[in-house]
Amino acid sequence: MDPIQQTIHFIEQYHASDHSGHGTDHIMRVYHTALRLAEGSTEPADLLVLQLAALLHDVDDHKINPAGGAALRHLQSIGLADETIARILDTIAPISFSTSGAHPRFHTIEQRLLSDADKLDAMGAIGICRTVAYGAVHQRPLYGKPGTDTLSHFYDKLLLLREAMQTPAGRQEAERRHKTMELFLQEFYHETATPPRQ
């Protein structure tokens, strides 16, 4: 079995019980989006590094596995060279919003592609669904006190993601998904008769 298929099998088992928006469906969307962005990029990417980084990007997320080390152990178990493993882990390390913020500075095309793919999956219709799922799993109220409810996530993160895009194709798609979120919030405030947050 090639390393991509081995890793898909690994993440299907690893994320099988996740219902917080970080399950296998999220991983596979990021994987396919990263490849689509790479196809349209004028800067060539190492596709093996990009694919494996996309598949493993949430394995050691602090919300899922605070201890870390699972991605390294998996990559070693499938017999990859140390240099390749290092590049994959280096691609994953800086891309989360909590690490890179709204104005990230990356040094490889693989990091830029993966960051855009991951952030796009937090935007638009699927981003709205994932936000509600995460809030439900963590027993947060849908809306209420700012800073403690699910609605706050739009203002703390999701509405900032458009500015974090690193590739032309990522920026174009982010613009469309950002508008979807803005329309959702407008309708939400209308239906709940609550004043819009800033």
Side-chain angles (χ1 to χ4, degrees):
M1 191 182 297
D2 73 88
I4 303 301
Q5 289 304 313
Q6 284 179 289
T7 303
I8 290 174
H9 179 68
F10 168 71
I11 64 105
E12 285 174 341
Q13 295 180 313
Y14 191 91
H15 295 286
S17 61
D18 189 289
H19 304 292
S20 72
H22 296 85
T24 306
D25 59 330
H26 161 66
I27 302 300
M28 295 309 298
R29 285 192 303 272
V30 171
Y31 171 80
H32 290 297
T33 300
L35 286 177
R36 285 196 300 273
L37 292 174
E39 287 175 6
S41 174
T42 57
E43 187 176 352
D46 184 321
L47 293 184
L48 178 64
V49 169
L50 180 63
Q51 289 178 92
L52 289 172
L55 291 170
L56 294 169
H57 79 274
D58 269 347
V59 165
D60 291 318
D61 186 289
H62 65 91
K63 297 183 294 294
I64 300 167
N65 176 22
L72 173 60
R73 290 190 294 273
H74 168 73
L75 293 168
Q76 290 173 332
S77 76
I78 61 176
L80 292 182
D82 289 345
E83 180 182 355
T84 302
I85 291 173
R87 292 185 61 205
I88 293 166
L89 297 179
D90 181 63
T91 299
I92 296 170
I95 68 147
S96 71
F97 185 78
S98 60
T99 300
S100 63
H103 302 285
R105 298 173 67 90
F106 300 125
H107 62 272
T108 71
I109 183 60
E110 293 82 14
Q111 289 172 344
R112 293 192 288 274
L113 292 167
L114 180 55
S115 176
D116 278 12
D118 189 36
K119 288 174 174 61
L120 284 171
D121 206 59
M123 302 180 71
I126 194 64
I128 294 167
C129 291
R130 290 181 63 216
T131 298
V132 173
Y134 186 86
V137 166
H138 292 275
Q139 300 183 326
R140 294 178 180 170
L142 187 59
Y143 67 105
K145 183 180 178 182
T148 65
D149 60 3
T150 293
L151 193 64
S152 296
H153 194 58
F154 286 90
Y155 298 91
D156 295 339
K157 177 181 177 181
L158 305 190
L159 294 174
L160 305 177
L161 294 177
R162 178 177 60 175
E163 304 305 316
M165 291 297 116
Q166 300 289 299
T167 67
R171 284 190 286 272
Q172 183 177 10
E173 180 62 15
E175 189 65 39
R176 189 185 70 80
R177 296 192 187 202
H178 186 89
K179 290 176 181 176
T180 298
M181 296 189 296
E182 288 182 325
L183 288 171
F184 166 78
L185 289 170
Q186 289 174 15
E187 186 63 17
F188 180 90
Y189 291 124
H190 173 73
E191 293 179 11
T192 59
T194 55
R197 295 183 188 175
Q198 300 299 321

